[in-house]
Amino acid sequence: LFLNGTVQQTGNSLDVAIEGDGFFRVELPGGQMRYTRDGSFKTDSAGQLVTADGYRLSGGVTIQPGITNDMINIGTDGSVTAVQGGNTSAPQSLGQLIVVKFPNPQGLSAEGSNLYAETAASGAEVQGTPGVDGMGTLRQHSLEGSNVEVVNELIAIISAQRAYEI
């Protein structure tokens, strides 16, 4: 279910792909936590980093007014910084992306809109630093593509069709 898809360059500074295991933790309006691998982020009116559906990412990443997307750098470890005025020696910290993994990710409950909920079968979330202790690393300017292998799916369809014909 959670095989890694092909990572594709997008050029958007707020697009982040997870290479390896892990999920981004997001907060729903009622305070419930959900998890996603969809790293297509944007900012809301308050400058908070949110998903495409407007759910706030845990970790409190806030983009202050005057900082444009081209000034933002998201490290492979999830650190979010901004470089203003070309001053690369003193980047301004904007927050940290939180990445979690589960003992059994197949046990997560699909909630729709690329969101998953923790269940007893998935086990409790384990928070970690991207790139450390088996946690996937992050790649800015990229999104994870579909993990569906078309050839394998076609073979499965043909096999099912032949079995039905028999």
Side-chain angles (χ1 to χ4, degrees):
L1 178 65
F2 292 110
L3 300 174
N4 290 319
T6 305
V7 174
Q8 302 166 345
Q9 292 282 86
T10 64
N12 182 350
S13 296
L14 298 180
D15 286 346
V16 184
I18 300 174
E19 293 182 303
D21 292 339
F23 294 85
F24 296 108
R25 185 170 55 184
V26 298
E27 189 176 331
L28 299 183
Q32 309 94 329
M33 293 299 165
R34 294 296 182 266
Y35 307 91
T36 186
R37 285 187 61 89
D38 182 1
S40 178
F41 303 131
K42 60 183 182 178
T43 55
D44 64 8
S45 60
Q48 294 281 317
L49 208 55
V50 297
T51 65
D53 293 326
Y55 301 126
R56 189 169 54 98
L57 265 69
S58 290
V61 177
T62 303
I63 313 299
Q64 288 91 13
I67 296 177
T68 60
N69 286 357
D70 60 335
M71 296 176 182
I72 298 171
N73 181 43
I74 300 173
T76 58
D77 64 350
S79 59
V80 183
T81 58
V83 175
Q84 292 182 301
N87 186 3
T88 58
S89 63
Q92 175 185 0
S93 177
L94 303 177
Q96 175 77 30
L97 291 178
I98 293 177
V99 178
V100 301
K101 64 180 182 177
F102 295 89
N104 178 26
Q106 279 67 27
L108 291 169
S109 171
E111 302 283 308
S113 298
N114 291 326
L115 295 176
Y116 297 90
E118 182 181 305
T119 66
S122 70
E125 71 173 52
V126 177
Q127 185 175 332
T129 302
V132 178
D133 294 330
M135 197 71 70
T137 59
L138 302 183
R139 187 190 300 181
Q140 185 181 15
H141 304 289
S142 303
L143 289 175
E144 182 179 10
S146 173
N147 63 359
V148 175
E149 295 184 24
V150 176
V151 173
N152 291 342
E153 294 302 319
L154 285 174
I155 291 170
I157 290 172
I158 291 169
S159 296
Q161 183 179 11
R162 294 227 171 113
Y164 176 74
E165 289 172 353
I166 291 175

